Amino acid sequence: MKNHSSLNQPSKTDRILVVDDSPDNLFLVQTILEEEGYEITLAENGRSALNEIEQSPPDLVLLDVMMPGMDGYEVTRRVRDNTKLPFIPILLITAHDHASVVEGLDTGADDFIRKPVQVDELLARVRSLLRLKHSVDERDQIARQREDFVSWLTHDLRTPIVAAERMLALFRQGALGELSPGMQEAIATMDRSNRNLLAMVNTLLEVYRYEAGRKTLSFSPIDLRKLLQEVVQELSPLAEEKNLTLKLDLGDSADNHPLDFKVVGDRMEIHRVLTNLIGNAIKFTDNGSVTVHASVGSHTSNSANSAIVIDVNDTGPGITLEDQKVLFERFRQGNHKRSGSGLGLHLSRRIVEAHQGEIEVKSELGKGSLFRVRLPAQI
């Protein structure tokens, strides 16, 4: 039992929680595992096990299936439902048949072992699950480091970009001397490029804030009627430059009684979503119109709960079915020549989902595109 290779030797920091209502079984498993150098914590029932896991998450849980009060299935289910916990492998110990094993794996367990426990098999399964634990932890650490780096990088990139924006503003104002028409045109081009770069950096920073769970939203009642009017007014000059018709349809009744479009959310973030969707529609439409329509509908496509539905419809070139499948993924650009960084729609989806809403696209080549957002209505 001691003739394991160095690769199989456990780390002294590996802590295993053993859960069983039988003191004899606890003593047996504890003796086997402590002899291998593992740190062992014991629990005699499901409730005490859950308390231990929540207070001090172990590296591995060995869990008996049949226990009074709360069985191993329920413990497994609650551990997996607790999103605040790190990944913890669960090894079920069962004396029952194949059906119980299937149920255990379906509830979220990672492996199982049958009673009576064989020492070599127990140690092999423990080593295997701990390798899985270490691999997942290392992956998560690398992901966190990458997110921290990108967040730091994008934050620091803003400083020189903002400085350049201020210098270009001074040039445009003539503070540094009179400019020739050619210089004015060149500086205008530089200014547009700099603003686009700043917008991309800001979007990238927001994406990583959401993905790292560091984005704090400020929820309050929002009048979507006023917000839509505000966004459309802000973007109207862009539509006018392209000779496009930008229409806002708030679905008012025949007697001009305004419909109530109230939601609870972060106004700035919802503003960001609407600006992105309507701005994209204008950007990719060369002829015709962009129509924004608001109505009261179902919460989600599969729900009857009340929601505010916002449709942004354009007469642009449309989006291929292949592009539609990946449109909301991070860094997935469309095939259009004016496609951007691939971050705006991904961020919009993160924001809408953070508000318990839904976003979708419907499009056909040559027939324009429809982006639909559903947000839960204020009750």
Side-chain angles (χ1 to χ4, degrees):
M1 185 169 67
K2 285 293 189 176
N3 295 327
H4 303 303
S5 68
S6 59
L7 290 176
N8 288 333
Q9 290 299 323
S11 167
K12 295 297 182 181
T13 60
D14 287 332
R15 188 167 66 86
I16 302 173
L17 173 63
V18 183
V19 188
D20 199 311
D21 62 317
S22 167
D24 290 341
N25 290 339
L26 285 176
F27 177 76
L28 173 62
V29 175
Q30 179 182 20
T31 301
I32 294 171
L33 296 178
E34 284 186 340
E35 187 176 351
E36 292 295 303
Y38 296 108
E39 179 185 345
I40 306 302
T41 303
L42 304 177
E44 296 182 351
N45 57 68
R47 295 197 179 279
S48 61
L50 280 177
N51 183 65
E52 178 65 31
I53 291 170
E54 292 171 355
Q55 295 297 320
S56 181
D59 298 300
L60 172 65
V61 176
L62 268 63
L63 181 60
D64 187 30
V65 170
M66 300 306 296
M67 294 184 294
M70 183 185 297
D71 62 21
Y73 302 138
E74 182 62 21
V75 174
T76 300
R77 189 176 296 108
R78 295 196 183 191
V79 170
R80 293 298 180 238
D81 288 344
N82 189 341
T83 56
K84 295 181 180 179
L85 291 174
F87 170 66
I88 305 172
I90 297 177
L91 175 60
L92 289 181
I93 305 175
T94 177
H96 293 276
D97 57 12
H98 175 73
S100 67
V101 171
V102 171
E103 182 178 356
L105 295 175
D106 281 344
T107 58
D110 299 281
D111 203 352
F112 68 93
I113 189 170
R114 296 185 186 278
K115 294 180 180 180
V117 172
Q118 301 296 315
V119 174
D120 288 342
E121 182 184 5
L122 173 64
L123 293 176
R125 293 187 185 278
V126 165
R127 289 193 297 269
S128 175
L129 290 179
L130 285 173
R131 284 195 296 269
L132 174 63
K133 166 67 173 174
H134 298 157
S135 176
V136 171
D137 286 350
E138 183 179 359
R139 180 203 65 192
D140 291 345
Q141 182 180 11
I142 292 173
R144 285 192 298 270
Q145 290 173 344
R146 183 181 67 248
E147 290 165 356
D148 289 341
F149 171 75
V150 173
S151 178
W152 167 82
L153 179 63
T154 52
H155 184 272
D156 278 17
L157 275 175
R158 293 185 77 256
T159 301
I161 295 174
V162 170
E165 183 180 27
R166 290 173 180 169
M167 288 300 298
L168 290 169
L170 291 176
F171 275 115
R172 292 197 312 273
Q173 295 165 8
L176 302 178
E178 187 175 351
L179 301 176
S180 67
M183 285 293 294
Q184 290 176 352
E185 184 177 346
I187 288 176
T189 300
M190 293 167 60
D191 185 52
R192 284 194 300 270
S193 297
N194 196 70
R195 288 177 181 273
N196 289 337
L197 181 58
L198 181 59
M200 186 173 66
V201 169
N202 286 337
T203 301
L204 182 60
L205 184 58
E206 288 300 309
V207 166
Y208 276 95
R209 281 174 177 164
Y210 272 96
E211 295 190 347
R214 297 174 184 173
K215 181 66 179 181
T216 302
L217 299 177
S218 178
F219 284 86
S220 62
I222 302 173
D223 185 343
L224 276 181
R225 168 182 291 274
K226 291 182 179 179
L227 184 55
L228 282 166
Q229 291 170 337
E230 177 184 316
V231 173
V232 168
Q233 183 177 9
E234 291 171 355
L235 296 178
S236 288
L238 296 180
E240 291 172 2
E241 285 180 9
K242 301 183 68 176
N243 294 317
L244 297 175
T245 302
L246 178 56
K247 297 182 288 188
L248 175 60
D249 178 7
L250 294 173
D252 293 339
S253 59
D255 58 1
N256 292 323
H257 181 71
L259 297 177
D260 190 19
F261 296 134
K262 298 291 180 65
V263 300
V264 175
D266 188 307
R267 193 179 193 277
M268 183 176 295
E269 296 302 290
I270 298 300
H271 184 285
R272 190 193 304 275
V273 172
L274 297 176
T275 300
N276 184 52
L277 295 181
I278 300 172
N280 277 353
I282 296 172
K283 176 181 178 181
F284 295 115
T285 302
D286 293 324
N287 299 288
S289 63
V290 173
T291 303
V292 183
H293 175 76
S295 61
V296 178
S298 60
H299 179 183
T300 67
S301 55
N302 298 315
S303 171
N305 295 332
S306 180
I308 308 303
V309 181
I310 302 168
D311 289 343
V312 179
N313 206 337
D314 64 59
T315 57
I319 306 168
T320 66
L321 185 59
E322 181 181 357
D323 281 344
Q324 290 179 48
K325 294 177 181 178
V326 298
L327 202 58
F328 295 102
E329 294 182 13
R330 183 174 58 169
F331 298 122
R332 296 301 291 266
Q333 299 172 310
N335 292 320
H336 197 283
K337 62 183 179 180
R338 280 168 282 179
S339 294
S341 63
L343 288 171
L345 288 176
H346 174 75
L347 179 58
S348 295
R349 186 188 69 179
R350 298 297 297 237
I351 294 171
V352 170
E353 290 177 348
H355 286 76
Q356 307 302 311
E358 185 180 80
I359 185 171
E360 61 181 335
V361 61
K362 296 180 180 179
S363 184
E364 187 176 344
L365 283 178
K367 297 185 178 180
S369 302
L370 167 67
F371 283 84
R372 173 167 292 163
V373 174
R374 291 184 178 90
L375 295 170
Q378 181 181 3
I379 300 175

